Amino acid sequence: MSDPAATAQRQQTRQRNLVSTVVSLPFRFFGVLCGSLLLCILVEWVGMHLFWPEQGWRHAQAMLHYELDQLSTHFTRSVVVQEPGRTAHRLIDGAHEWIFVKTGLMDWMQGAASQARAGADHPTRDFRYYLGIVYVHLESYLIAAAYTLLVFLVRLLVLCLMLPLFCMAAFVGLVDGLVRRDIRRFGAGRESGFVYHRAKATLMPLLVLPWVIYLALPVSVSPLLILLPSALLLGVAVDITAGSFKKYL
């Protein structure tokens, strides 16, 4: 027989772990978004240097227009927001207004660009000259980063619109797994803790990786090519986890 004190201590430990997980979940989510944004910008910069140097920052601009057109064409209805295409345009216009206009960043970049070019054309090689050289070379990368941020916001909206799909897939998998679990228990079927732990370990990657991959893609693709298989795999993982669950927590 198990020790009641040890059992109570394990229950308290589980409760503390659950509370800490719930409290830290928003911070983890914010960290994933920040990491995805940084990865997206870095991938775009590497692509500008290696794969599409002739396009430069216009590649990120073309991606933004493509994402907005795809959203307006294929996401005409949603249970999350009404008129997703119009919502996306409002989001991008508002983000552009707050980030570049109201903060004065656009005026500062234009003024810095003019001063940098004047310094680069100056015959005397002083600090202003080298600053102008650096800014002239980095200007396209800064513009690409700005457009990449807007693409990131559009894709984040697409992911929010796809949340009901992931919830439905997880719910269907949960119901089917619990039904199979009860059938197996009533029929004295074999249970496997190995299968349960392996299936449980795949749940978090299947929740996080589709977000990171889709947000960091350097090219524009249909979100269904990534999110639909991910939702299907998530449903299967939840099904297996619920079906093999007994006392392995």
Side-chain angles (χ1 to χ4, degrees):
M1 296 180 64
S2 60
D3 187 5
T7 303
Q9 185 177 2
R10 285 196 298 268
Q11 291 179 353
Q12 292 178 357
T13 302
R14 292 172 185 172
Q15 292 177 357
R16 287 196 297 266
N17 293 336
L18 179 61
V19 172
S20 62
T21 301
V22 173
V23 172
S24 61
L25 185 60
F27 300 98
R28 293 181 181 180
F29 180 72
F30 181 74
V32 170
L33 291 182
C34 292
S36 301
L37 176 59
L38 179 61
L39 180 62
C40 187
I41 294 176
L42 290 178
V43 170
E44 181 65 26
W45 284 352
V46 172
M48 288 176 58
H49 184 70
L50 297 178
F51 302 107
W52 49 83
E54 66 283 352
Q55 290 181 304
W57 59 267
R58 290 180 177 82
H59 176 268
Q61 185 185 39
M63 285 178 56
L64 176 62
H65 295 323
Y66 180 85
E67 298 284 346
L68 290 174
D69 293 339
Q70 288 289 314
L71 186 60
S72 302
T73 303
H74 298 288
F75 288 88
T76 57
R77 296 180 181 179
S78 174
V79 298
V80 180
V81 296
Q82 294 181 351
E83 299 181 352
R86 184 176 297 180
T87 302
H89 283 281
R90 290 178 180 175
L91 176 65
I92 296 304
D93 293 339
H96 185 275
E97 182 75 16
W98 279 99
I99 296 175
F100 298 102
V101 179
K102 291 189 176 181
T103 59
L105 183 60
M106 184 63 69
D107 295 335
W108 178 83
M109 290 180 62
Q110 292 176 354
S114 60
Q115 294 179 4
R117 290 190 180 92
D121 296 335
H122 199 272
T124 305
R125 296 192 175 185
D126 51 4
F127 177 76
R128 184 179 177 184
Y129 170 80
Y130 291 106
L131 181 62
I133 293 296
V134 171
Y135 189 87
V136 167
H137 285 85
L138 293 182
E139 182 181 12
S140 59
Y141 291 93
L142 295 177
I143 298 175
Y147 278 110
T148 303
L149 175 60
L150 298 180
V151 172
F152 180 86
L153 293 177
V154 175
R155 290 180 174 178
L156 186 61
L157 177 60
V158 172
L159 288 173
C160 293
L161 296 177
M162 297 290 287
L163 280 178
L165 174 64
F166 283 86
C167 295
M168 182 182 67
F171 179 75
V172 172
L174 178 63
V175 172
D176 183 74
L178 292 178
V179 171
R180 291 192 304 105
R181 170 179 172 268
D182 290 340
I183 294 176
R184 187 191 67 247
R185 292 182 64 186
F186 292 143
R190 183 180 178 182
E191 296 177 340
S192 174
F194 176 82
V195 174
Y196 167 76
H197 288 293
R198 294 301 179 272
K200 182 182 177 182
T202 62
L203 293 179
M204 189 56 64
L206 289 175
L207 285 173
V208 176
L209 286 180
W211 288 64
V212 176
I213 293 174
Y214 179 64
L215 291 175
L217 276 178
V219 294
S220 295
V221 297
S222 175
L224 295 179
L225 296 178
I226 299 175
L227 302 181
L228 189 59
S230 301
L232 179 61
L233 292 177
L234 177 63
V236 173
V238 173
D239 187 357
I240 297 175
T241 303
S244 57
F245 169 77
K246 182 184 177 183
K247 55 181 180 181
Y248 301 106
L249 289 177

